[in-house]
Amino acid sequence: MNLPAVRGKLLLNEPLGPYTWFRVGGTADALFIPADADDLADFLKALDPAVPVTVLGVGSNVIVRDGGVEGVVIRLAGRAWGQVTAEGDTITAGAGALDAMVAKASAKAGIAGLEFYAGIPGTIGGALTMNAGCYGSETRDVLVSARGVNRRGERVEFARDDFGYTYRHSEAPGDVIWLEATFCGTPDDPAAVQARIDAITARREQTQPIREKTGGSTFKNPPGHSSWKLVDEAGWRGKLHAVTGGGAKFSQLHSNFMINPGEATAADIEGLGEAVRADVLAKTGVQLEWEIRRIGRPAA
């Protein structure tokens, strides 16, 4: 695989497990961490169109399969990608900015409406891609516009309505790598905004296994149902399911969170999810859909 010259980091056969919250998975044929937006655009323009490209954010909601990921994995990490600025009632954030940092910046600026981002363990790039949300709010509620670069290295811009957002879904082209986004809230007292963020953070610490090796919410909520209730009622809360010997389980604290309690493989974790999907479907007739992304190849 011939790869263009870059100003950022280009690592060959790089293990991806350390870049994910589950701490599992194989290697990337190549991992590219661009220095900035121009470095990314130039790389994509020069890259052979036949080479697959996969974007990996902070790795909080993804399973990298044990066989690794073909082609180039792009990760937007570092100061150039994590900038967050406020002006008036708007917040502009780089695609690599943590959602929680956007919430923190909104409190400092006295902007209400973005508090929910304190409860999402990901980056703004991922939030744009999946209309991330929690506690009754979603990205589409606050997004104004977003800028990105497509597979050909061309700059593109989308207004909120261009995304065609629905629950955990966007109609934006799948080849766009997001660079930054602008959000709009409403003026409020900074202390009041911070108090709501503190309440969200406390609730999350009490109800989610945030200090475990986890991937966040495993399944989307089916219409009219809560995934955690379906998993719980099917008997999977806290239950270990060894697929290949390492084991993985659904959390005792929150039954829609899978955890890696020790040395599980990606196959263990994905296999557990598929076993639960099949069991819930058999018992209730409800089909659970993955919220966690699964990327790459199974082990040979």
PDB file of all heavy atoms in Angstrom, residues 234-266:
ATOM      1  N   ALA A 234     -34.587 -10.129  30.070  1.00  0.00           N
ATOM      2  CA  ALA A 234     -34.152 -11.389  29.465  1.00  0.00           C
ATOM      3  C   ALA A 234     -33.124 -12.118  30.329  1.00  0.00           C
ATOM      4  O   ALA A 234     -32.695 -13.226  29.993  1.00  0.00           O
ATOM      5  CB  ALA A 234     -33.568 -11.126  28.073  1.00  0.00           C
ATOM      6  N   GLY A 235     -32.719 -11.472  31.440  1.00  0.00           N
ATOM      7  CA  GLY A 235     -31.844 -12.144  32.390  1.00  0.00           C
ATOM      8  C   GLY A 235     -30.358 -11.962  32.182  1.00  0.00           C
ATOM      9  O   GLY A 235     -29.551 -12.731  32.719  1.00  0.00           O
ATOM     10  N   TRP A 236     -29.950 -10.916  31.458  1.00  0.00           N
ATOM     11  CA  TRP A 236     -28.537 -10.770  31.117  1.00  0.00           C
ATOM     12  C   TRP A 236     -27.785  -9.763  31.985  1.00  0.00           C
ATOM     13  O   TRP A 236     -26.570  -9.600  31.825  1.00  0.00           O
ATOM     14  CB  TRP A 236     -28.391 -10.373  29.652  1.00  0.00           C
ATOM     15  CG  TRP A 236     -28.707 -11.497  28.728  1.00  0.00           C
ATOM     16  CD1 TRP A 236     -29.913 -11.777  28.154  1.00  0.00           C
ATOM     17  CD2 TRP A 236     -27.809 -12.513  28.286  1.00  0.00           C
ATOM     18  NE1 TRP A 236     -29.829 -12.906  27.375  1.00  0.00           N
ATOM     19  CE2 TRP A 236     -28.544 -13.374  27.435  1.00  0.00           C
ATOM     20  CE3 TRP A 236     -26.471 -12.792  28.522  1.00  0.00           C
ATOM     21  CZ2 TRP A 236     -27.975 -14.479  26.821  1.00  0.00           C
ATOM     22  CZ3 TRP A 236     -25.887 -13.887  27.911  1.00  0.00           C
ATOM     23  CH2 TRP A 236     -26.636 -14.720  27.078  1.00  0.00           C
ATOM     24  N   ARG A 237     -28.454  -9.076  32.898  1.00  0.00           N
ATOM     25  CA  ARG A 237     -27.746  -8.122  33.756  1.00  0.00           C
ATOM     26  C   ARG A 237     -26.675  -8.840  34.585  1.00  0.00           C
ATOM     27  O   ARG A 237     -26.969  -9.777  35.332  1.00  0.00           O
ATOM     28  CB  ARG A 237     -28.728  -7.413  34.687  1.00  0.00           C
ATOM     29  CG  ARG A 237     -28.047  -6.396  35.628  1.00  0.00           C
ATOM     30  CD  ARG A 237     -29.008  -5.857  36.661  1.00  0.00           C
ATOM     31  NE  ARG A 237     -30.006  -4.976  36.077  1.00  0.00           N
ATOM     32  CZ  ARG A 237     -29.878  -3.652  35.962  1.00  0.00           C
ATOM     33  NH1 ARG A 237     -28.765  -3.067  36.397  1.00  0.00           N
ATOM     34  NH2 ARG A 237     -30.853  -2.928  35.443  1.00  0.00           N
ATOM     35  N   GLY A 238     -25.441  -8.408  34.424  1.00  0.00           N
ATOM     36  CA  GLY A 238     -24.350  -8.978  35.213  1.00  0.00           C
ATOM     37  C   GLY A 238     -23.949 -10.385  34.841  1.00  0.00           C
ATOM     38  O   GLY A 238     -23.100 -10.981  35.493  1.00  0.00           O
ATOM     39  N   LYS A 239     -24.515 -10.921  33.770  1.00  0.00           N
ATOM     40  CA  LYS A 239     -24.262 -12.314  33.419  1.00  0.00           C
ATOM     41  C   LYS A 239     -23.043 -12.437  32.513  1.00  0.00           C
ATOM     42  O   LYS A 239     -22.930 -11.756  31.511  1.00  0.00           O
ATOM     43  CB  LYS A 239     -25.484 -12.898  32.706  1.00  0.00           C
ATOM     44  CG  LYS A 239     -25.355 -14.385  32.365  1.00  0.00           C
ATOM     45  CD  LYS A 239     -26.647 -14.905  31.731  1.00  0.00           C
ATOM     46  CE  LYS A 239     -26.535 -16.370  31.349  1.00  0.00           C
ATOM     47  NZ  LYS A 239     -27.783 -16.872  30.716  1.00  0.00           N
ATOM     48  N   LEU A 240     -22.130 -13.327  32.874  1.00  0.00           N
ATOM     49  CA  LEU A 240     -20.934 -13.579  32.082  1.00  0.00           C
ATOM     50  C   LEU A 240     -21.272 -14.517  30.930  1.00  0.00           C
ATOM     51  O   LEU A 240     -22.004 -15.487  31.085  1.00  0.00           O
ATOM     52  CB  LEU A 240     -19.850 -14.214  32.956  1.00  0.00           C
ATOM     53  CG  LEU A 240     -18.459 -14.345  32.336  1.00  0.00           C
ATOM     54  CD1 LEU A 240     -17.824 -12.968  32.180  1.00  0.00           C
ATOM     55  CD2 LEU A 240     -17.578 -15.231  33.223  1.00  0.00           C
ATOM     56  N   HIS A 241     -20.747 -14.192  29.765  1.00  0.00           N
ATOM     57  CA  HIS A 241     -20.981 -15.043  28.594  1.00  0.00           C
ATOM     58  C   HIS A 241     -19.637 -15.275  27.920  1.00  0.00           C
ATOM     59  O   HIS A 241     -19.151 -14.409  27.190  1.00  0.00           O
ATOM     60  CB  HIS A 241     -21.955 -14.378  27.630  1.00  0.00           C
ATOM     61  CG  HIS A 241     -22.243 -15.188  26.399  1.00  0.00           C
ATOM     62  ND1 HIS A 241     -23.024 -16.319  26.425  1.00  0.00           N
ATOM     63  CD2 HIS A 241     -21.865 -15.029  25.114  1.00  0.00           C
ATOM     64  CE1 HIS A 241     -23.111 -16.822  25.209  1.00  0.00           C
ATOM     65  NE2 HIS A 241     -22.409 -16.061  24.397  1.00  0.00           N
ATOM     66  N   ALA A 242     -19.011 -16.391  28.185  1.00  0.00           N
ATOM     67  CA  ALA A 242     -17.708 -16.695  27.601  1.00  0.00           C
ATOM     68  C   ALA A 242     -17.889 -17.267  26.199  1.00  0.00           C
ATOM     69  O   ALA A 242     -18.509 -18.297  26.021  1.00  0.00           O
ATOM     70  CB  ALA A 242     -16.959 -17.686  28.476  1.00  0.00           C
ATOM     71  N   VAL A 243     -17.346 -16.566  25.214  1.00  0.00           N
ATOM     72  CA  VAL A 243     -17.461 -17.011  23.825  1.00  0.00           C
ATOM     73  C   VAL A 243     -16.229 -17.802  23.424  1.00  0.00           C
ATOM     74  O   VAL A 243     -16.313 -18.889  22.882  1.00  0.00           O
ATOM     75  CB  VAL A 243     -17.654 -15.808  22.885  1.00  0.00           C
ATOM     76  CG1 VAL A 243     -17.735 -16.258  21.433  1.00  0.00           C
ATOM     77  CG2 VAL A 243     -18.910 -15.041  23.269  1.00  0.00           C
ATOM     78  N   THR A 244     -15.064 -17.246  23.732  1.00  0.00           N
ATOM     79  CA  THR A 244     -13.817 -17.929  23.381  1.00  0.00           C
ATOM     80  C   THR A 244     -12.917 -18.111  24.588  1.00  0.00           C
ATOM     81  O   THR A 244     -11.741 -18.404  24.440  1.00  0.00           O
ATOM     82  CB  THR A 244     -13.061 -17.143  22.289  1.00  0.00           C
ATOM     83  OG1 THR A 244     -12.745 -15.835  22.793  1.00  0.00           O
ATOM     84  CG2 THR A 244     -13.866 -17.027  21.023  1.00  0.00           C
ATOM     85  N   GLY A 245     -13.447 -17.921  25.784  1.00  0.00           N
ATOM     86  CA  GLY A 245     -12.668 -18.151  26.984  1.00  0.00           C
ATOM     87  C   GLY A 245     -12.352 -16.904  27.779  1.00  0.00           C
ATOM     88  O   GLY A 245     -12.163 -16.972  28.989  1.00  0.00           O
ATOM     89  N   GLY A 246     -12.258 -15.753  27.136  1.00  0.00           N
ATOM     90  CA  GLY A 246     -11.899 -14.533  27.858  1.00  0.00           C
ATOM     91  C   GLY A 246     -13.056 -13.952  28.633  1.00  0.00           C
ATOM     92  O   GLY A 246     -12.910 -13.483  29.757  1.00  0.00           O
ATOM     93  N   GLY A 247     -14.235 -13.993  28.051  1.00  0.00           N
ATOM     94  CA  GLY A 247     -15.429 -13.543  28.740  1.00  0.00           C
ATOM     95  C   GLY A 247     -15.706 -12.068  28.604  1.00  0.00           C
ATOM     96  O   GLY A 247     -14.824 -11.242  28.491  1.00  0.00           O
ATOM     97  N   ALA A 248     -16.971 -11.726  28.586  1.00  0.00           N
ATOM     98  CA  ALA A 248     -17.477 -10.358  28.600  1.00  0.00           C
ATOM     99  C   ALA A 248     -18.846 -10.447  29.238  1.00  0.00           C
ATOM    100  O   ALA A 248     -19.432 -11.525  29.310  1.00  0.00           O
ATOM    101  CB  ALA A 248     -17.571  -9.799  27.182  1.00  0.00           C
ATOM    102  N   LYS A 249     -19.347  -9.337  29.729  1.00  0.00           N
ATOM    103  CA  LYS A 249     -20.663  -9.394  30.358  1.00  0.00           C
ATOM    104  C   LYS A 249     -21.352  -8.044  30.288  1.00  0.00           C
ATOM    105  O   LYS A 249     -20.722  -7.021  30.023  1.00  0.00           O
ATOM    106  CB  LYS A 249     -20.557  -9.845  31.810  1.00  0.00           C
ATOM    107  CG  LYS A 249     -19.832  -8.889  32.732  1.00  0.00           C
ATOM    108  CD  LYS A 249     -19.813  -9.444  34.154  1.00  0.00           C
ATOM    109  CE  LYS A 249     -19.122  -8.505  35.122  1.00  0.00           C
ATOM    110  NZ  LYS A 249     -19.117  -9.038  36.498  1.00  0.00           N
ATOM    111  N   PHE A 250     -22.675  -8.077  30.514  1.00  0.00           N
ATOM    112  CA  PHE A 250     -23.418  -6.839  30.656  1.00  0.00           C
ATOM    113  C   PHE A 250     -23.291  -6.392  32.112  1.00  0.00           C
ATOM    114  O   PHE A 250     -23.310  -7.198  33.036  1.00  0.00           O
ATOM    115  CB  PHE A 250     -24.877  -7.023  30.258  1.00  0.00           C
ATOM    116  CG  PHE A 250     -25.093  -6.838  28.778  1.00  0.00           C
ATOM    117  CD1 PHE A 250     -24.857  -7.886  27.900  1.00  0.00           C
ATOM    118  CD2 PHE A 250     -25.485  -5.621  28.264  1.00  0.00           C
ATOM    119  CE1 PHE A 250     -25.020  -7.723  26.542  1.00  0.00           C
ATOM    120  CE2 PHE A 250     -25.648  -5.451  26.905  1.00  0.00           C
ATOM    121  CZ  PHE A 250     -25.419  -6.492  26.031  1.00  0.00           C
ATOM    122  N   SER A 251     -23.148  -5.101  32.287  1.00  0.00           N
ATOM    123  CA  SER A 251     -22.889  -4.543  33.603  1.00  0.00           C
ATOM    124  C   SER A 251     -24.021  -4.820  34.593  1.00  0.00           C
ATOM    125  O   SER A 251     -25.199  -4.780  34.221  1.00  0.00           O
ATOM    126  CB  SER A 251     -22.683  -3.032  33.474  1.00  0.00           C
ATOM    127  OG  SER A 251     -22.682  -2.401  34.725  1.00  0.00           O
ATOM    128  N   GLN A 252     -23.651  -5.056  35.837  1.00  0.00           N
ATOM    129  CA  GLN A 252     -24.633  -5.168  36.901  1.00  0.00           C
ATOM    130  C   GLN A 252     -25.274  -3.812  37.185  1.00  0.00           C
ATOM    131  O   GLN A 252     -26.439  -3.719  37.557  1.00  0.00           O
ATOM    132  CB  GLN A 252     -23.964  -5.693  38.177  1.00  0.00           C
ATOM    133  CG  GLN A 252     -24.910  -5.920  39.347  1.00  0.00           C
ATOM    134  CD  GLN A 252     -25.876  -7.072  39.101  1.00  0.00           C
ATOM    135  OE1 GLN A 252     -25.506  -8.079  38.506  1.00  0.00           O
ATOM    136  NE2 GLN A 252     -27.123  -6.923  39.554  1.00  0.00           N
ATOM    137  N   LEU A 253     -24.528  -2.749  36.961  1.00  0.00           N
ATOM    138  CA  LEU A 253     -24.996  -1.401  37.247  1.00  0.00           C
ATOM    139  C   LEU A 253     -25.973  -0.902  36.188  1.00  0.00           C
ATOM    140  O   LEU A 253     -26.967  -0.261  36.514  1.00  0.00           O
ATOM    141  CB  LEU A 253     -23.802  -0.452  37.350  1.00  0.00           C
ATOM    142  CG  LEU A 253     -24.068   0.978  37.811  1.00  0.00           C
ATOM    143  CD1 LEU A 253     -24.646   0.987  39.224  1.00  0.00           C
ATOM    144  CD2 LEU A 253     -22.767   1.792  37.753  1.00  0.00           C
ATOM    145  N   HIS A 254     -25.682  -1.186  34.914  1.00  0.00           N
ATOM    146  CA  HIS A 254     -26.534  -0.717  33.804  1.00  0.00           C
ATOM    147  C   HIS A 254     -26.566  -1.810  32.742  1.00  0.00           C
ATOM    148  O   HIS A 254     -25.548  -2.112  32.125  1.00  0.00           O
ATOM    149  CB  HIS A 254     -25.985   0.581  33.220  1.00  0.00           C
ATOM    150  CG  HIS A 254     -26.934   1.295  32.311  1.00  0.00           C
ATOM    151  ND1 HIS A 254     -27.542   0.685  31.227  1.00  0.00           N
ATOM    152  CD2 HIS A 254     -27.383   2.578  32.316  1.00  0.00           C
ATOM    153  CE1 HIS A 254     -28.315   1.568  30.601  1.00  0.00           C
ATOM    154  NE2 HIS A 254     -28.241   2.718  31.248  1.00  0.00           N
ATOM    155  N   SER A 255     -27.722  -2.389  32.532  1.00  0.00           N
ATOM    156  CA  SER A 255     -27.806  -3.587  31.695  1.00  0.00           C
ATOM    157  C   SER A 255     -27.791  -3.315  30.199  1.00  0.00           C
ATOM    158  O   SER A 255     -27.970  -4.244  29.410  1.00  0.00           O
ATOM    159  CB  SER A 255     -29.060  -4.394  32.057  1.00  0.00           C
ATOM    160  OG  SER A 255     -30.222  -3.601  31.997  1.00  0.00           O
ATOM    161  N   ASN A 256     -27.553  -2.066  29.771  1.00  0.00           N
ATOM    162  CA  ASN A 256     -27.306  -1.824  28.343  1.00  0.00           C
ATOM    163  C   ASN A 256     -25.840  -1.490  28.097  1.00  0.00           C
ATOM    164  O   ASN A 256     -25.477  -1.036  27.033  1.00  0.00           O
ATOM    165  CB  ASN A 256     -28.201  -0.706  27.800  1.00  0.00           C
ATOM    166  CG  ASN A 256     -28.232  -0.678  26.273  1.00  0.00           C
ATOM    167  OD1 ASN A 256     -28.121  -1.713  25.615  1.00  0.00           O
ATOM    168  ND2 ASN A 256     -28.366   0.505  25.697  1.00  0.00           N
ATOM    169  N   PHE A 257     -25.000  -1.699  29.099  1.00  0.00           N
ATOM    170  CA  PHE A 257     -23.565  -1.473  28.965  1.00  0.00           C
ATOM    171  C   PHE A 257     -22.837  -2.799  29.053  1.00  0.00           C
ATOM    172  O   PHE A 257     -22.897  -3.480  30.082  1.00  0.00           O
ATOM    173  CB  PHE A 257     -23.064  -0.549  30.079  1.00  0.00           C
ATOM    174  CG  PHE A 257     -23.305   0.910  29.853  1.00  0.00           C
ATOM    175  CD1 PHE A 257     -24.590   1.408  29.712  1.00  0.00           C
ATOM    176  CD2 PHE A 257     -22.242   1.800  29.784  1.00  0.00           C
ATOM    177  CE1 PHE A 257     -24.828   2.749  29.513  1.00  0.00           C
ATOM    178  CE2 PHE A 257     -22.460   3.152  29.586  1.00  0.00           C
ATOM    179  CZ  PHE A 257     -23.751   3.640  29.442  1.00  0.00           C
ATOM    180  N   MET A 258     -22.123  -3.169  27.984  1.00  0.00           N
ATOM    181  CA  MET A 258     -21.233  -4.320  28.050  1.00  0.00           C
ATOM    182  C   MET A 258     -19.907  -3.882  28.644  1.00  0.00           C
ATOM    183  O   MET A 258     -19.468  -2.751  28.429  1.00  0.00           O
ATOM    184  CB  MET A 258     -20.990  -4.916  26.661  1.00  0.00           C
ATOM    185  CG  MET A 258     -22.150  -5.716  26.121  1.00  0.00           C
ATOM    186  SD  MET A 258     -21.672  -6.715  24.681  1.00  0.00           S
ATOM    187  CE  MET A 258     -21.305  -5.429  23.481  1.00  0.00           C
ATOM    188  N   ILE A 259     -19.264  -4.781  29.371  1.00  0.00           N
ATOM    189  CA  ILE A 259     -17.948  -4.478  29.906  1.00  0.00           C
ATOM    190  C   ILE A 259     -16.986  -5.628  29.628  1.00  0.00           C
ATOM    191  O   ILE A 259     -17.387  -6.777  29.452  1.00  0.00           O
ATOM    192  CB  ILE A 259     -17.986  -4.175  31.424  1.00  0.00           C
ATOM    193  CG1 ILE A 259     -18.498  -5.381  32.214  1.00  0.00           C
ATOM    194  CG2 ILE A 259     -18.833  -2.959  31.716  1.00  0.00           C
ATOM    195  CD1 ILE A 259     -18.400  -5.186  33.725  1.00  0.00           C
ATOM    196  N   ASN A 260     -15.736  -5.266  29.578  1.00  0.00           N
ATOM    197  CA  ASN A 260     -14.643  -6.220  29.475  1.00  0.00           C
ATOM    198  C   ASN A 260     -14.041  -6.329  30.874  1.00  0.00           C
ATOM    199  O   ASN A 260     -13.244  -5.493  31.283  1.00  0.00           O
ATOM    200  CB  ASN A 260     -13.606  -5.710  28.473  1.00  0.00           C
ATOM    201  CG  ASN A 260     -12.344  -6.576  28.422  1.00  0.00           C
ATOM    202  OD1 ASN A 260     -12.266  -7.621  29.061  1.00  0.00           O
ATOM    203  ND2 ASN A 260     -11.362  -6.112  27.662  1.00  0.00           N
ATOM    204  N   PRO A 261     -14.412  -7.363  31.636  1.00  0.00           N
ATOM    205  CA  PRO A 261     -13.977  -7.436  33.033  1.00  0.00           C
ATOM    206  C   PRO A 261     -12.529  -7.875  33.204  1.00  0.00           C
ATOM    207  O   PRO A 261     -11.996  -7.810  34.306  1.00  0.00           O
ATOM    208  CB  PRO A 261     -14.933  -8.455  33.638  1.00  0.00           C
ATOM    209  CG  PRO A 261     -15.310  -9.330  32.498  1.00  0.00           C
ATOM    210  CD  PRO A 261     -15.320  -8.449  31.273  1.00  0.00           C
ATOM    211  N   GLY A 262     -11.917  -8.330  32.129  1.00  0.00           N
ATOM    212  CA  GLY A 262     -10.541  -8.805  32.258  1.00  0.00           C
ATOM    213  C   GLY A 262      -9.833  -8.826  30.928  1.00  0.00           C
ATOM    214  O   GLY A 262      -9.365  -7.812  30.425  1.00  0.00           O
ATOM    215  N   GLU A 263      -9.769 -10.019  30.340  1.00  0.00           N
ATOM    216  CA  GLU A 263      -9.008 -10.208  29.112  1.00  0.00           C
ATOM    217  C   GLU A 263      -9.912 -10.668  27.965  1.00  0.00           C
ATOM    218  O   GLU A 263      -9.544 -11.546  27.173  1.00  0.00           O
ATOM    219  CB  GLU A 263      -7.880 -11.218  29.340  1.00  0.00           C
ATOM    220  CG  GLU A 263      -6.892 -10.795  30.399  1.00  0.00           C
ATOM    221  CD  GLU A 263      -6.202  -9.471  30.084  1.00  0.00           C
ATOM    222  OE1 GLU A 263      -5.929  -9.219  28.899  1.00  0.00           O
ATOM    223  OE2 GLU A 263      -5.964  -8.682  31.017  1.00  0.00           O
ATOM    224  N   ALA A 264     -11.095 -10.106  27.858  1.00  0.00           N
ATOM    225  CA  ALA A 264     -11.994 -10.456  26.761  1.00  0.00           C
ATOM    226  C   ALA A 264     -11.389 -10.040  25.426  1.00  0.00           C
ATOM    227  O   ALA A 264     -10.604  -9.101  25.339  1.00  0.00           O
ATOM    228  CB  ALA A 264     -13.345  -9.775  26.956  1.00  0.00           C
ATOM    229  N   THR A 265     -11.767 -10.746  24.388  1.00  0.00           N
ATOM    230  CA  THR A 265     -11.400 -10.367  23.024  1.00  0.00           C
ATOM    231  C   THR A 265     -12.564  -9.615  22.394  1.00  0.00           C
ATOM    232  O   THR A 265     -13.681  -9.588  22.935  1.00  0.00           O
ATOM    233  CB  THR A 265     -11.088 -11.607  22.182  1.00  0.00           C
ATOM    234  OG1 THR A 265     -12.294 -12.389  22.052  1.00  0.00           O
ATOM    235  CG2 THR A 265      -9.988 -12.453  22.813  1.00  0.00           C
ATOM    236  N   ALA A 266     -12.304  -9.034  21.237  1.00  0.00           N
ATOM    237  CA  ALA A 266     -13.392  -8.392  20.508  1.00  0.00           C
ATOM    238  C   ALA A 266     -14.469  -9.408  20.151  1.00  0.00           C
ATOM    239  O   ALA A 266     -15.664  -9.102  20.177  1.00  0.00           O
ATOM    240  CB  ALA A 266     -12.851  -7.714  19.249  1.00  0.00           C
TER     241      ALA A 266
END
